[in-house]
Amino acid sequence: MSQNETRYTIRSLFLTALAAIIGTVLVLEVSGSIKHSDNKDNVPVGDFQAIHVTPGEPFRMSPKASELHATCENGYLAIAADVDPSFRGILVDYKNRGVRCYRPSPTAPAAIPQPEMPVQPEGPASDE
């Protein structure tokens, strides 16, 4: 190797890569290529997978519980966060069809069940 050959330090290579990444993001932001949605109603809550469970065969699943829970909303399965139950989303398949949380009867009409009305507590009994 000759004396005239330039050597680059790790620090200069790291700073060059960092500057290139920051410059790329700034150019994409200014040109409008990065889309920022103001509508938070259609944002995915999470990405889910189904584990096929066959009786008698083991399956792998994390022993730690998720910070989400499922509820039934108008006949469809909704996923909600434990920390903010008002933040929920309907679970859909790859074609954006809702996943039902009940199994419809083959002989019943295809209607979505209405949510049950809460039972009103009766007032104190009066002895008139």
Side-chain angles (χ1 to χ4, degrees), residues 29-124:
E29 180 70 32
V30 170
S31 68
S33 296
I34 299 177
K35 305 292 182 200
H36 300 282
S37 175
D38 292 333
N39 181 5
K40 302 300 180 194
D41 292 339
N42 295 328
V43 177
V45 175
D47 185 25
F48 300 96
Q49 295 180 356
I51 298 175
H52 184 259
V53 180
T54 306
E57 289 189 24
F59 61 93
R60 290 178 39 104
M61 185 173 71
S62 174
K64 242 172 86 172
S66 168
E67 293 182 356
L68 302 171
H69 65 275
T71 61
C72 192
E73 293 286 329
N74 295 328
Y76 291 99
L77 189 62
I79 303 296
D82 290 341
V83 293
D84 184 10
S86 66
F87 184 66
R88 69 178 70 133
I90 301 292
L91 194 64
V92 295
D93 67 1
Y94 68 98
K95 288 188 175 181
N96 216 21
R97 299 175 296 196
V99 177
R100 294 185 308 260
C101 56
Y102 70 96
R103 186 174 197 166
S105 169
T107 59
I112 297 175
Q114 298 300 318
E116 295 180 18
M117 298 300 291
V119 177
Q120 297 293 330
E122 294 182 21

